[in-house]
């Protein structure tokens, strides 16, 4: 007959094992420990369609996001008055572009930086931002979504949170996004993962 101490140890062990199993199941094997991680895991498993919004680029050209279908598309979100993260994103996107084989640029792979501040980011502001990083307006466009409802839907699809700050700017999250040839968001990566992101693009090419 087991002693009360032994029975207690056995019961405790079973509770711990059961709790660990539930936690493992509930977090996809410890991979979805945050909402952001869970979102990224879900995108990998089930790529998400993105809305076919209308954009205006740094040259004043009007186009649709769906125009990129058939190509891989790197996407980031910025506002040109930003002096911190968005400046880093410009350098990171330049690095990604430079890591892609030249023969694929424009034909199989393109980049777009989308402003979430259409009230301030007119084509002239977008062009100035693009010129600072070598965005040519063809392979790499800087654009805005003039329609506020379309912009809201686009930010929600990509999981971008934008909060006005006390200085007239914005607090926002940022990431590297890859839209597949089918127009679906298929990969979200940290901004310090430019090289692995480019390697993923090359593998898909």
């Amino acid at each position: 007959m087991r002693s009360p101490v032994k029975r207690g140890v056995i019961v405790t062990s079973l509770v711990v094992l059961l709790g660990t199993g539930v936690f493992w199941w509930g977090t996809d094997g410890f991979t979805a420990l945050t909402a952001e991680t869970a979102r990224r895991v879900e995108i990998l498993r089930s790529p998400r369609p993105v809305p076919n919004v209308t954009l205006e680029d740094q040259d004043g050209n009007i186009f649709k996001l769906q125009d990129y279908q058939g190509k891989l598309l790197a996407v980031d979100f910025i506002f040109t008055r930003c002096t911190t993260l968005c400046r880093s994103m410009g350098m990171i996107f330049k690095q990604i572009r430079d890591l892609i084989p030249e023969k694929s640029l424009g034909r199989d792979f393109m980049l777009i930086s989308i402003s979430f501040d259409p009230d301030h980011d007119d084509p002239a502001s977008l062009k100035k931002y693009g010129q600072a990083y070598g965005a040519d307006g063809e392979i790499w466009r800087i654009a805005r979504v003039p329609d506020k409802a379309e912009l809201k839907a686009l930010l929600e699809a990509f999981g971008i949170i934008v909060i006005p700050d006390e200085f007239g700017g914005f607090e926002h999250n940022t990431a590297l996004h890859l839209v597949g040839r089918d127009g679906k968001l298929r990969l979200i990566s940290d901004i310090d993962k430019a090289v692995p992101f480019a390697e993923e693009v090359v593998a898909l090419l």
Side-chain angles (χ1 to χ4, degrees):
M1 186 174 178
R2 293 190 181 95
S3 69
V5 173
K6 286 184 177 179
R7 285 199 302 271
V9 170
I10 291 171
V11 169
T12 300
S13 299
L14 288 173
V15 169
V16 170
L17 286 172
L18 180 60
T20 301
V22 170
F23 187 67
W24 175 275
W25 175 81
T27 60
D28 284 328
F30 301 125
T31 59
L33 296 178
T34 66
E36 176 63 15
T37 302
R39 183 172 71 93
R40 296 183 182 194
V41 170
E42 180 61 25
I43 289 296
L44 283 172
R45 287 179 175 173
S46 182
R48 177 188 302 168
V50 297
N52 186 29
V53 300
T54 300
L55 302 105
E56 181 181 25
D57 71 10
Q58 69 257 56
D59 295 316
N61 298 315
I62 303 297
F63 63 102
K64 303 285 283 187
L65 197 56
Q66 195 173 41
D67 294 346
Y68 288 104
Q69 284 207 352
K71 298 180 174 64
L72 298 176
L73 178 66
V75 182
D76 74 341
F77 291 86
I78 56 100
F79 69 107
T80 65
R81 294 177 296 133
C82 176
T83 58
T84 53
L85 279 175
C86 303
R87 300 295 169 180
S88 298
M89 287 304 302
M91 295 300 297
I92 290 165
F93 252 39
K94 182 178 184 298
Q95 181 184 9
I96 291 170
R97 182 200 60 195
D98 293 346
L99 289 168
I100 304 301
E102 189 173 350
K103 66 180 181 179
S104 296
L105 293 173
R107 186 189 69 183
D108 302 304
F109 174 75
M110 300 180 80
L111 308 94
I112 184 170
S113 297
I114 301 175
S115 168
F116 47 73
D117 185 20
D119 291 338
H120 293 95
D121 287 342
D122 58 9
S125 300
L126 299 174
K127 194 174 191 70
K128 184 177 179 181
Y129 176 91
Q131 287 174 337
Y133 305 103
D136 62 354
E138 295 182 11
I139 292 169
W140 177 8
R141 275 170 150 167
I142 316 298
R144 65 177 183 166
V145 182
D147 185 277
K148 298 291 183 64
E150 286 194 340
L151 176 60
K152 182 176 184 292
L154 186 68
L155 294 177
E156 288 177 351
F158 279 86
I160 300 298
I161 299 170
V162 179
I163 303 171
D165 65 22
E166 58 185 310
F167 307 108
F170 301 94
E171 296 291 336
H172 61 99
N173 60 331
T174 186
L176 304 172
H177 307 86
L178 183 64
V179 176
R181 299 179 191 274
D182 57 0
K184 293 181 179 180
L185 176 60
R186 61 175 299 153
L187 175 67
I188 304 173
S189 182
D190 292 328
I191 62 173
D192 62 349
K193 302 291 193 300
V195 173
F197 183 90
E199 289 173 347
E200 176 71 15
V201 170
V202 171
L204 290 171
L205 291 172

